[in-house]
């Protein structure tokens, strides 16, 4: 037996008990005649004490040799501490050591195993197993486990069945790039790793499973953006005999349950907003509604004067930054430079100070009088003391730019509070989106999404206007889940494939099994998938997902700890019927 | 809203209520003036009734059109059934239909959706989504979910943290073949899919995670034997600061918990048996101890006469088949032919009848007298009325042969009862096993398994005799789990790699990160992994795993439903820097 207790549980109630503890040496304080060592494990820290008077000399010598991260076992007596540490659950006691066994020595770790470490990101990733010893990382992994358990228990209680779908499936060119797996037994053929279990969960609905979920790894071979991983985890869900309302309700319940259980936060009915309204009011489809600063569209009240910039713009739109009227000229110039950075891309910014005394001062006083600016203030809901920031140009671009400014100002003003949670349903997504590169419409969600009833004829005349029974769940400005009601009849699905540019042969080759399945009695069905990595990060009050993943990959898709990917043997390639094509560096 | 109730919940308590139900038409009985239809969903079956007197004529017409597996929604009134069906939870009531909506039509399914179907294995796999509608398959998937939930909740309560380890890792030639995944971003390099998360769970122990588990897919590119899948699911577990006893106790508790919760069976402390004893007494390392028929080794009492077959044999060994003394000559000849089949491979079988009257009659009466045979009976624990079956030859072969006979006889005698559970720990496995093909020793468990304390010197003199801290959990003759205490210091691990024929470079290239990790304070640790597919099948009283997997692959590793693996685009290959080598058929 390596331990009778963990390092997190001994208190003054245990005084005089003989105990066995094991763990890592966090630090040693050697006063010569007296040595203290902090012993650490997952559960906490317990102070060990060795002293000349009570500890045999030979053990004093051993104790002096202890280095950081040595693994030791001690037997000893729980005694009261002289100087108690009220910040530590075990702060009232220490262990007078009677036996000390060094279970394993340790080289000095390449960074300190402390909450605030001196290790940079790259070093921490290479020695991730040491990074995980640090409380901030360890606790995030434990937090993730708790969230996943709550999700499973909630859904299971609601009658959902977790069904494991296969990982070795078939490549489908639609959507993002698949990772593929060469088949040795079927030369020249490949499996693909799933981007999601989409078709399988639909087949489970055809199979009568009624309510399905799965917490499952998914794979996308994309050029990685920051905070994207080639493998990621989804809470994948599907239900039969439901309409959109049923789905929103159950997953709203799940999210509310998580906020209550994990964050101890009660949230009422989640607000709902159409996709069009989200774009109009916040400039994007995943608005952070923890704070206001809603967009005010100003075309009506800004295009009647001689100001050509506005008159030529498709959209003139502004926000009111609380308290911004007091900004200095220099501060405002910096703000203008901020929106002109290539990452944001605005050509400039017009501003109007709504002073505390009710007067206005704008950068376009030449064109607009007090009366005009008052109307701007009304549209942007500006109050005296606010700064109205106005951008103009192409609708889609200017919305994205103003949205970036809105988020930046909220960040600066401390309005994005980590412990505040503002969930939101965004509904009525368009069925299709135009792809500039291929010059055709793509499915915005995926090709199995059902158009709104009665809107199919619109596909022929005004495809961009067709709305889908598709919805996203947004939390604090992040999409944490999304889903749709699916098509469940073969004719509509065939029509959709045709519309998306699949030939009949392509549709049959890739999704023939699904089309077949729809002929044998497919029920109405729909579902939703949460991104677990993101969900956990946001519930944990963070925006980056990496520390909530035990062994993440870097932005080149590499695992720098195990050094993967890596070349494989010639023999292995031969068995797989493959040649690697050498390319020039 | 598609339904107010499911098809499994309405009883006489609901009589006179208006309800909405949805589901599949199981069958229709059309008496002309009256039509009954069984409506089915995951939860049960509810009888619908349409009759001339109470149902509008137009709806009678619609009802007549209903075919098997049509998807319908009905609104109606719960009424008392005239002829009740006590075998059905809903058997007291039926629904007088007032509205009938056909949600989807269905072609006649290629096999009947009944508990006993007329569909063969191949057809059922191609239309797996229809197969899943059948109760036996559907219930096995729900059963699997229940087992997984119990496992997760038990382990979580015991302080284990489920940590997701990566799927895109590095290929290691040791062990079975890896499936590999070409990297597009790192031309000529490959990820591998994990055969198990072995090294990651060990790194989590180095990382202080203390107690880890994960229900996780694993992958092996092996030539498939019957009932093997290229992707399979493990309950993977690891603990730090434990010895073998700690591990056996906690996972014995888990298994006992499952038997209690899932099967309502109470099992006391699990017996333990050494690997050597298992081979000696049952001829294999996963003995079914639901019944006796233990081996009796007969060398001492059978090699003292002129019978050359026995005298030349390394091992003479027998079992007593209960009641077998009454077998006819013809039956015994069939048994002899059975052991001579190539699948078993014995050259012949000697038998001795221990008659009810205490006399003996054997096939070798020429050589052995009553006194000899009495000793055989003692060694095999034969009782009057039993048949002693004796095989001889090379120890390993003859044990396997007699084990096959023992299992066959138990099967014939009905001793392998599906609802009886006999778990067993097999301990003290050898560290190494001799591989005929490569003519060297391989790790029996894996190269991270710790030899028993003090046995390392034996590696140099008698490698086959070195025992490991390795153990298997056996249930009803199946290995359901296995694990070991791991090596946790760099020197021993390096020694082991060297012993297993790794050069230092190979060891470093493949496991350098683990060897590195061992230098920074690795705790003693060990673990175990259950095969979930097999565990679930056995708890479910079955021996084949396929129906406990939603979408299994066939023996050629193909998913015949989605038709994978399949060729991929030239463009995709090019992006992956790969050429397929065409081979002759």
């Amino acid at each position: 037996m390596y331990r009778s207790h963990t390092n997190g549980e001994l208190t003054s109630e245990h005084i005089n008990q003989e105990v066995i503890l094991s763990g890592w040496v966090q630090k040693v304080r050697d006063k010569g005649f007296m040595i203290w060592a902090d012993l650490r494990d997952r559960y906490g820290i317990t102070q060990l004490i060795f002293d000349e008077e009570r500890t045999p000399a030979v053990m004093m010598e051993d104790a002096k040799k202890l280095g950081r991260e040595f693994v030791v076992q001690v037997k000893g007596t729980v005694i009261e501490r002289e100087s108690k540490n009220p910040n530590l659950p075990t702060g009232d006691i220490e262990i007078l050591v009677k036996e000390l066994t060094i279970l394993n020595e340790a080289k000095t770790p390449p960074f300190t195993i402390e909450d605030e470490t001196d290790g940079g990101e790259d070093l921490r990733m290479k020695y991730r197993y040491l990074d995980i010893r640090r409380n901030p990382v360890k606790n995030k992994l434990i937090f993730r486990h708790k969230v996943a358990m709550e999700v499973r228990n909630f859904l299971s209680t609601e009658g959902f069945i977790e069904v494991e779908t296969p990982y070795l499936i078939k490549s489908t060119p639609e959507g993002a790039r698949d990772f593929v797996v060469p088949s040795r037994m079927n030369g020249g053929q490949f499996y693909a790793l799933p981007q999601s279990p989409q078709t399988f969960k639909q087949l489970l609905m055809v199979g009568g499973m009624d309510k399905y979920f799965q917490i499952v790894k998914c794979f996308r071979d994309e050029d990685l953006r920051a905070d994207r991983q080639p493998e990621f985890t989804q809470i994948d869900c599907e239900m039969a005999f439901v309409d959109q309302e049923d789905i929103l309700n159950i997953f709203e319940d799940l999210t509310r349950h998580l906020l209550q259980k994990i964050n101890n936060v009660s949230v009422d009915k989640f607000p709902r907003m159409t996709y069009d309204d989200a774009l109009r009011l916040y400039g994007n489809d995943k608005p952070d509604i923890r704070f206001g600063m809603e967009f005010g569209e100003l075309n009506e009240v800004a295009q009647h004067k001689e100001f050509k910039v506005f008159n030529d713009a498709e959209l003139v739109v502004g926000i009111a930054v609380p308290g911004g009227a007091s900004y200095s000229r220099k501060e405002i110039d910096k703000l203008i430079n901020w929106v002109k950075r290539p990452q944001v891309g605005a050509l400039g910014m017009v501003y109007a100070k709504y002073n505390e005394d009710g007067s206005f001062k704008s950068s376009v006083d030449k064109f607009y009088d007090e009366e005009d600016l008052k109307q701007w203030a009304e549209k942007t809901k500006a109050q005296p003391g606010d700064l109205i920031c106005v951008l103009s140009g192409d609708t889609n671009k200017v919305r994205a730019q103003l949205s970036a400014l809105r988020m930046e100002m909220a960040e600066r003003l401390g309005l994005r509070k980590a412990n505040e949670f503002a969930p939101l349903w965004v509904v009525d997504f368009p069925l299709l989106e135009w792809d500039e590169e291929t010059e055709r419409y793509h499915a915005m969600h995926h090709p199995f999404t059902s158009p709104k009833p009665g809107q199919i004829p619109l596909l022929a005349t005004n495809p961009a206007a067709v709305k889908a029974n598709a919805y996203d769940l947004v939390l604090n400005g992040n999409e944490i889940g999304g889903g749709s009601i699916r098509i469940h009849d073969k004719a509509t699905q065939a029509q959709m494939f045709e519309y998306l540019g699949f030939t009949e042969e392509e549709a049959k080759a890739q999704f023939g099994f699904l089309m077949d399945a729809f002929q044998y009695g497919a029920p109405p069905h729909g579902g939703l998938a949460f991104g677990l990595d993101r969900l956990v990060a946001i519930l944990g009050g963070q925006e980056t997902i990496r520390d909530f993943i035990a062994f993440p990959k870097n932005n080149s898709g590499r695992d720098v700890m195990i050094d993967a990917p890596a070349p494989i043997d010639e023999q292995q390639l031969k068995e797989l019927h493959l040649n690697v094509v050498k390319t020039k560096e």
Side-chain angles (χ1 to χ4, degrees), chain A residues 190-325:
Chain A
F190 293 78
Y191 302 99
L193 299 178
Q195 294 184 29
S196 88
Q198 182 64 33
T199 48
F200 288 97
K201 69 176 175 176
Q202 293 193 242
L203 291 173
L204 286 171
M205 294 305 103
V206 176
M209 199 44 73
D210 207 69
K211 293 179 181 176
Y212 145 92
F213 84 102
Q214 188 181 189
I215 298 186
V216 62
K217 274 282 177 79
C218 301
F219 305 85
R220 261 176 224 172
D221 184 11
E222 290 177 303
D223 299 322
L224 298 175
R225 285 184 274 155
D227 218 30
R228 273 268 179 120
Q229 291 282 321
E231 50 178 303
F232 55 96
T233 307
Q234 251 179 227
I235 308 168
D236 194 49
C237 307
E238 196 81 6
M239 304 168 80
F241 300 113
V242 288
D243 49 32
Q244 176 169 313
E245 192 62 27
D246 298 315
I247 295 183
L248 298 195
N249 285 335
I250 185 84
F251 294 107
E252 181 166 325
D253 285 348
L254 168 61
T255 310
R256 195 180 289 113
H257 173 85
L258 293 177
L259 287 167
Q260 186 67 63
K261 282 278 188 174
I262 302 285
N263 299 88
N264 201 20
V265 168
S266 296
V267 182
D268 278 347
K269 188 110 188 98
F270 295 3
R272 296 182 188 182
M273 189 181 293
T274 64
Y275 172 87
D276 288 345
D277 280 350
L279 284 183
R280 190 172 51 78
L281 292 171
Y282 299 95
N284 73 64
D285 60 5
K286 44 182 185 188
D288 189 340
I289 58 165
R290 279 177 295 184
F291 56 95
M293 283 201 260
E294 289 176 9
F295 288 17
E297 300 197 344
L298 305 178
N299 292 40
E300 276 178 39
V301 295
Q303 292 185 324
H304 61 299
K305 293 291 174 69
E306 299 301 303
F307 188 45
K308 192 168 156 32
V309 174
F310 281 2
N311 293 350
D312 290 351
E314 191 183 357
L315 178 68
V316 182
V317 60
I319 53 170
V321 176

Side-chain angles (χ1 to χ4, degrees), chain A residues 131-423:
Chain A
D131 202 24
I132 290 172
R133 286 189 196 158
R134 297 172 52 240
N135 287 323
V137 181
K138 178 192 77 184
N139 290 338
K140 286 188 179 77
L141 297 179
I142 295 174
F143 183 81
R144 183 186 179 110
H145 166 67
K146 281 192 191 147
V147 173
M149 284 301 296
E150 285 297 337
V151 169
R152 283 197 161 95
N153 281 312
F154 178 90
L155 289 175
S156 188
T157 302
E158 291 287 334
F160 286 78
I161 304 295
E162 185 163 22
V163 180
E164 296 176 56
T165 53
Y167 278 77
L168 297 173
I169 66 165
K170 193 154 92 168
S171 189
T172 55
E174 181 72 2
R177 257 189 227 92
D178 288 321
F179 282 104
V180 297
V181 181
S183 167
R184 180 179 54 85
M185 294 209 277
N186 306 272
Q189 299 191 12
F190 293 78
Y191 302 99
L193 299 178
Q195 294 184 29
S196 88
Q198 182 64 33
T199 48
F200 288 97
K201 69 176 175 176
Q202 293 193 242
L203 291 173
L204 286 171
M205 294 305 103
V206 176
M209 199 44 73
D210 207 69
K211 293 179 181 176
Y212 145 92
F213 84 102
Q214 188 181 189
I215 298 186
V216 62
K217 274 282 177 79
C218 301
F219 305 85
R220 261 176 224 172
D221 184 11
E222 290 177 303
D223 299 322
L224 298 175
R225 285 184 274 155
D227 218 30
R228 273 268 179 120
Q229 291 282 321
E231 50 178 303
F232 55 96
T233 307
Q234 251 179 227
I235 308 168
D236 194 49
C237 307
E238 196 81 6
M239 304 168 80
F241 300 113
V242 288
D243 49 32
Q244 176 169 313
E245 192 62 27
D246 298 315
I247 295 183
L248 298 195
N249 285 335
I250 185 84
F251 294 107
E252 181 166 325
D253 285 348
L254 168 61
T255 310
R256 195 180 289 113
H257 173 85
L258 293 177
L259 287 167
Q260 186 67 63
K261 282 278 188 174
I262 302 285
N263 299 88
N264 201 20
V265 168
S266 296
V267 182
D268 278 347
K269 188 110 188 98
F270 295 3
R272 296 182 188 182
M273 189 181 293
T274 64
Y275 172 87
D276 288 345
D277 280 350
L279 284 183
R280 190 172 51 78
L281 292 171
Y282 299 95
N284 73 64
D285 60 5
K286 44 182 185 188
D288 189 340
I289 58 165
R290 279 177 295 184
F291 56 95
M293 283 201 260
E294 289 176 9
F295 288 17
E297 300 197 344
L298 305 178
N299 292 40
E300 276 178 39
V301 295
Q303 292 185 324
H304 61 299
K305 293 291 174 69
E306 299 301 303
F307 188 45
K308 192 168 156 32
V309 174
F310 281 2
N311 293 350
D312 290 351
E314 191 183 357
L315 178 68
V316 182
V317 60
I319 53 170
V321 176
S326 62
Y327 291 2
S328 68
R329 178 62 203 247
K330 206 172 145 193
E331 283 174 309
I332 293 178
D333 281 346
K334 276 172 81 174
L335 214 52
I336 294 174
N337 285 333
W338 190 90
V339 299
K340 287 163 84 174
R341 298 182 322 146
Q343 296 93 321
V344 182
L347 294 174
M349 185 180 90
V350 165
Y351 68 86
K353 287 185 178 183
Y354 188 178
N355 295 313
E356 290 286 0
D357 65 4
S359 68
F360 287 90
K361 173 83 191 98
S362 84
S363 58
V364 283
D365 281 352
K366 229 196 311 186
F367 302 102
Y368 301 96
D369 57 24
E370 192 104 338
E371 211 46 52
D372 294 323
L373 298 176
K374 206 167 218 164
Q375 288 188 291
W376 294 15
E378 268 167 37
K379 294 277 184 192
T380 58
K381 294 180 187 150
Q383 301 297 315
D386 291 355
L387 177 74
I388 303 171
C389 300
V390 183
L391 302 181
S392 62
D394 170 75
T395 300
N396 291 339
K397 282 184 190 159
V398 79
R399 280 178 169 169
Q401 291 156 4
L402 192 62
S403 172
L405 178 63
R406 175 178 175 270
M407 296 298 271
E408 174 69 15
M409 294 318 295
E411 194 67 52
R412 293 187 191 180
L413 295 168
L415 304 176
R416 306 194 65 198
K417 298 188 185 112
N419 56 356
E420 197 177 304
F421 294 93

